[in-house]
Amino acid sequence: MACVCYALSARIERPDCFSRARTACAAALAGLLVFTVANGAMWSASATARTDPAGASWREAHAGLVGANVGGWLLAERWLTDRGQSALSVGALKSPYEIAGAEGAIDERSLSIRLRAAGRLDALDAWRDAYVTRADFAAMRAAGLNAVRVPFGWWLVARTDDPDGYHRGKGLRYLDDAMRWAEAEGLEVVLDLHGAPGSQNGRQTAGHEAAPQWMPDHFDAERCVEVLEIVARRYAASRALVGITLLNEPELPMVILAPFYARAYAAVRAAGCAPSRVAVIINLYAMDAVLSDGWALNRLMPPSTHPNVIYDVHVYFAFMPLALHALLSLRTLTSVVVWVQAMAVHLSGRFCIIGEWSLRLPFAGTLAAELDAMTPSRRDALLREFGARQLDAYGSQAGCVGVFFWTWNAPEHESMWSFQRAVANGWLAPARVSRLGARLRERAAPVGRGAGSE
């Protein structure tokens, strides 16, 4: 948790000879502080469970979700797909951003517009058909995963009013494929609305890089609810569906989010997704949202009236503020800070999933320079330790019911983002990943059974 480490470390006047020692002390103090507070939060989570028997029933059946995201597939994020793709499961695959006519595209919307003008929308369809297939779902299962998180753009579900904008292609049939493949391979599914009408953040990761012109009031809450209702109704009967994330990484004020979440929750439940079968998942974007948005929603949407709401927190180490780089080493970042962040995500007082995590280390600043200076063998060893510590830290949290690596496929130059490459490179051990599910189930089961029996 960068903010905690920074608050404690910023006051240190640090002669060079004492830098590492003081950094370690600051990080240890941060960890102790968070552990003390988080321990109280666990009791709050237990109390919540006792008032939410439907949520407890769901946890008994589904706690222990260990999966990967199929990021970049149903929303073509530029950074994941902007160079020659070499996904392990499909071999070499040319990026749609490299197709003649796509020059200058910065997001899926501009990519669609350019390919349409060039008469090459078929290239986007062909790429999407090949990027993720049933073979990937089978490979996930073989790698020890039991779940998959499926991010998608709203334009695949509902027709857009802008015929010159996003390309819909097969539309909902892509999600149909994902659900069918998951059922066939024994994977459980979390559907994630990754790009919303009007955008929830104005970033290319949501389909349209609109900053700085994007404003929160561009978000179309009404159409967003309609999209979620369509998805919920279509897949309510699927035995694979276990959760629906209402919105990914929103950068919206609570005055907009709170009424939207209440309406979206009601729509998903009315569409047939019962609380005992499907969790409604709310992404608390950025660590400060755990304490701000999370606690506010606990009051506005308590378990007594909104059963089986789970929070989703994304835990990344790649974006550590540059101001912290002088106070941390990679060793501290990949050890003490891992545990600090793992404990901090549960301060919300509600059960949660870690919807996105990765092995990506900082790509700028002094920490990136330290990484670049390592020999390949030392870097491999560091990434193995980093992966093992994250799995151990997440598995130790009683409030955590699932984790999803970001992402399944990634280009070779972004190997630390790819679950497949992490396994192939020996950074993640499938057996250890599989054991994480058992640990999460064991830690969730006593709370779940106690809650369900009252």
Side-chain angles (χ1 to χ4, degrees), residues 1-23:
M1 187 175 182
C3 55
V4 175
C5 290
Y6 181 76
L8 291 175
S9 301
R11 295 178 176 273
I12 297 176
E13 296 178 3
R14 178 174 64 80
D16 290 342
C17 59
F18 295 114
S19 62
R20 293 295 174 87
R22 290 187 172 181
T23 298

Side-chain angles (χ1 to χ4, degrees), residues 203-255:
R203 300 186 183 277
Q204 64 89 22
T205 54
H208 185 198
E209 182 70 57
Q213 292 81 17
W214 179 85
M215 299 292 288
D217 60 3
H218 293 169
F219 171 65
D220 191 337
E222 183 174 352
R223 291 203 73 186
C224 195
V225 170
E226 292 173 1
V227 169
L228 290 164
E229 183 177 13
I230 291 170
V231 169
R233 193 173 304 282
R234 191 176 185 93
Y235 304 115
S238 171
R239 65 179 183 274
L241 181 65
V242 297
I244 296 177
T245 301
L246 301 181
L247 204 57
N248 183 73
E249 297 185 350
E251 297 182 33
L252 299 166
M254 187 52 64
V255 68

Side-chain angles (χ1 to χ4, degrees), residues 315 317 329-343 354 357-359 361 370 374 378-397 403 405 426-429 432-433 435-436 439-440:
V315 182
F317 299 85
S329 67
L330 282 178
R331 183 175 181 82
T332 303
L333 179 69
T334 59
S335 56
V336 177
V337 179
V338 167
W339 285 91
V340 170
Q341 291 217 114
M343 291 183 288
I354 296 173
W357 69 284
S358 80
L359 297 183
L361 290 167
E370 183 183 350
M374 288 182 174
R378 179 66 193 98
R379 180 161 50 181
D380 286 344
L382 176 71
L383 290 170
R384 282 195 298 272
E385 295 165 3
F386 186 33
R389 288 183 184 127
Q390 287 194 76
L391 293 173
D392 288 345
Y394 305 149
S396 71
Q397 306 305 308
V403 300
F405 194 93
W427 303 335
L428 288 176
R432 192 162 195 156
V433 172
R435 286 198 298 273
L436 174 61
R439 289 187 65 193
L440 293 174

Side-chain angles (χ1 to χ4, degrees), residues 61-80:
H62 304 295
L65 299 171
V66 180
N69 287 268
V70 282
W73 179 37
L74 303 184
L75 194 160
E77 297 188 30
R78 184 188 67 247
W79 73 275
L80 269 176

Side-chain angles (χ1 to χ4, degrees), residues 25-82:
C25 288
L29 286 172
L32 180 61
L33 172 64
V34 174
F35 177 80
T36 301
V37 181
N39 192 47
M42 289 302 98
W43 289 108
S44 176
S46 299
T48 298
R50 287 192 292 271
T51 65
D52 186 3
S57 176
W58 182 92
R59 285 190 300 278
E60 283 216 47
H62 304 295
L65 299 171
V66 180
N69 287 268
V70 282
W73 179 37
L74 303 184
L75 194 160
E77 297 188 30
R78 184 188 67 247
W79 73 275
L80 269 176
T81 59
D82 67 349

